[in-house]
mmCIF file of all heavy atoms in Angstrom:
data_model
loop_
_atom_site.group_PDB
_atom_site.id
_atom_site.type_symbol
_atom_site.label_atom_id
_atom_site.label_comp_id
_atom_site.label_asym_id
_atom_site.label_seq_id
_atom_site.Cartn_x
_atom_site.Cartn_y
_atom_site.Cartn_z
ATOM 1 N N PHE A 1440 80.147 -54.939 27.247
ATOM 2 C CA PHE A 1440 80.812 -55.391 28.622
ATOM 3 C C PHE A 1440 80.985 -54.185 29.468
ATOM 4 O O PHE A 1440 81.463 -53.170 29.109
ATOM 5 C CB PHE A 1440 82.295 -56.012 28.240
ATOM 6 C CG PHE A 1440 82.187 -57.031 27.218
ATOM 7 C CD1 PHE A 1440 82.779 -56.792 25.920
ATOM 8 C CD2 PHE A 1440 81.648 -58.228 27.453
ATOM 9 C CE1 PHE A 1440 82.744 -57.774 25.011
ATOM 10 C CE2 PHE A 1440 81.556 -59.263 26.458
ATOM 11 C CZ PHE A 1440 82.111 -58.982 25.266
ATOM 12 N N ALA A 1441 80.559 -54.385 30.652
ATOM 13 C CA ALA A 1441 80.542 -53.314 31.642
ATOM 14 C C ALA A 1441 81.913 -53.176 32.265
ATOM 15 O O ALA A 1441 82.120 -53.425 33.523
ATOM 16 C CB ALA A 1441 79.533 -53.489 32.761
ATOM 17 N N LEU A 1442 82.923 -52.930 31.431
ATOM 18 C CA LEU A 1442 84.338 -52.860 31.965
ATOM 19 C C LEU A 1442 84.862 -51.544 31.258
ATOM 20 O O LEU A 1442 84.589 -51.172 30.165
ATOM 21 C CB LEU A 1442 85.167 -54.019 31.550
ATOM 22 C CG LEU A 1442 84.899 -55.363 32.217
ATOM 23 C CD1 LEU A 1442 85.560 -56.476 31.536
ATOM 24 C CD2 LEU A 1442 85.339 -55.231 33.657
ATOM 25 N N PRO A 1443 85.913 -50.912 31.892
ATOM 26 C CA PRO A 1443 86.592 -49.747 31.223
ATOM 27 C C PRO A 1443 87.287 -50.281 30.029
ATOM 28 O O PRO A 1443 88.010 -51.326 30.007
ATOM 29 C CB PRO A 1443 87.659 -49.254 32.284
ATOM 30 C CG PRO A 1443 87.231 -49.968 33.538
ATOM 31 C CD PRO A 1443 86.435 -51.187 33.238
ATOM 32 N N VAL A 1444 87.093 -49.552 28.845
ATOM 33 C CA VAL A 1444 87.718 -49.977 27.616
ATOM 34 C C VAL A 1444 88.631 -48.811 27.093
ATOM 35 O O VAL A 1444 88.092 -47.689 26.892
ATOM 36 C CB VAL A 1444 86.656 -50.389 26.555
ATOM 37 C CG1 VAL A 1444 87.323 -50.721 25.161
ATOM 38 C CG2 VAL A 1444 85.818 -51.492 27.038
ATOM 39 N N ALA A 1445 89.903 -49.093 26.842
ATOM 40 C CA ALA A 1445 90.871 -48.121 26.333
ATOM 41 C C ALA A 1445 91.107 -48.431 24.881
ATOM 42 O O ALA A 1445 91.280 -49.692 24.515
ATOM 43 C CB ALA A 1445 92.095 -47.987 27.199
ATOM 44 N N HIS A 1446 91.184 -47.464 24.039
ATOM 45 C CA HIS A 1446 91.565 -47.733 22.658
ATOM 46 C C HIS A 1446 92.948 -47.085 22.351
ATOM 47 O O HIS A 1446 93.189 -45.886 22.548
ATOM 48 C CB HIS A 1446 90.463 -47.117 21.788
ATOM 49 C CG HIS A 1446 90.724 -47.207 20.314
ATOM 50 N ND1 HIS A 1446 90.294 -46.280 19.352
ATOM 51 C CD2 HIS A 1446 91.374 -48.126 19.613
ATOM 52 C CE1 HIS A 1446 90.653 -46.672 18.239
ATOM 53 N NE2 HIS A 1446 91.324 -47.750 18.274
ATOM 54 N N VAL A 1447 93.818 -47.936 21.817
ATOM 55 C CA VAL A 1447 95.167 -47.436 21.381
ATOM 56 C C VAL A 1447 95.264 -47.602 19.919
ATOM 57 O O VAL A 1447 95.009 -48.677 19.335
ATOM 58 C CB VAL A 1447 96.232 -48.307 22.084
ATOM 59 C CG1 VAL A 1447 97.638 -47.840 21.648
ATOM 60 C CG2 VAL A 1447 96.106 -48.198 23.606
ATOM 61 N N VAL A 1448 95.698 -46.549 19.282
ATOM 62 C CA VAL A 1448 95.858 -46.558 17.832
ATOM 63 C C VAL A 1448 97.396 -46.756 17.578
ATOM 64 O O VAL A 1448 98.202 -45.999 18.096
ATOM 65 C CB VAL A 1448 95.482 -45.298 17.178
ATOM 66 C CG1 VAL A 1448 95.722 -45.285 15.722
ATOM 67 C CG2 VAL A 1448 93.900 -45.048 17.343
ATOM 68 N N VAL A 1449 97.708 -47.705 16.782
ATOM 69 C CA VAL A 1449 99.168 -48.004 16.456
ATOM 70 C C VAL A 1449 99.293 -47.778 14.972
ATOM 71 O O VAL A 1449 98.540 -48.497 14.080
ATOM 72 C CB VAL A 1449 99.500 -49.524 16.779
ATOM 73 C CG1 VAL A 1449 100.884 -49.874 16.403
ATOM 74 C CG2 VAL A 1449 99.282 -49.769 18.270
ATOM 75 N N ASP A 1450 100.115 -46.888 14.647
ATOM 76 C CA ASP A 1450 100.338 -46.648 13.136
ATOM 77 C C ASP A 1450 101.732 -47.229 12.744
ATOM 78 O O ASP A 1450 102.705 -46.680 13.084
ATOM 79 C CB ASP A 1450 100.307 -45.169 12.954
ATOM 80 C CG ASP A 1450 100.300 -44.751 11.473
ATOM 81 O OD1 ASP A 1450 100.568 -45.709 10.672
ATOM 82 O OD2 ASP A 1450 99.908 -43.626 11.172
ATOM 83 N N PRO A 1451 101.715 -48.311 12.054
ATOM 84 C CA PRO A 1451 103.007 -48.965 11.661
ATOM 85 C C PRO A 1451 103.915 -48.120 10.882
ATOM 86 O O PRO A 1451 105.132 -48.232 10.917
ATOM 87 C CB PRO A 1451 102.583 -50.224 10.973
ATOM 88 C CG PRO A 1451 101.133 -50.160 10.710
ATOM 89 C CD PRO A 1451 100.543 -49.045 11.541
#
Side-chain angles (χ1 to χ4, degrees):
Chain A
F1440 309 110
L1442 288 168
V1444 177
H1446 177 210
V1447 178
V1448 176
V1449 177
D1450 192 343

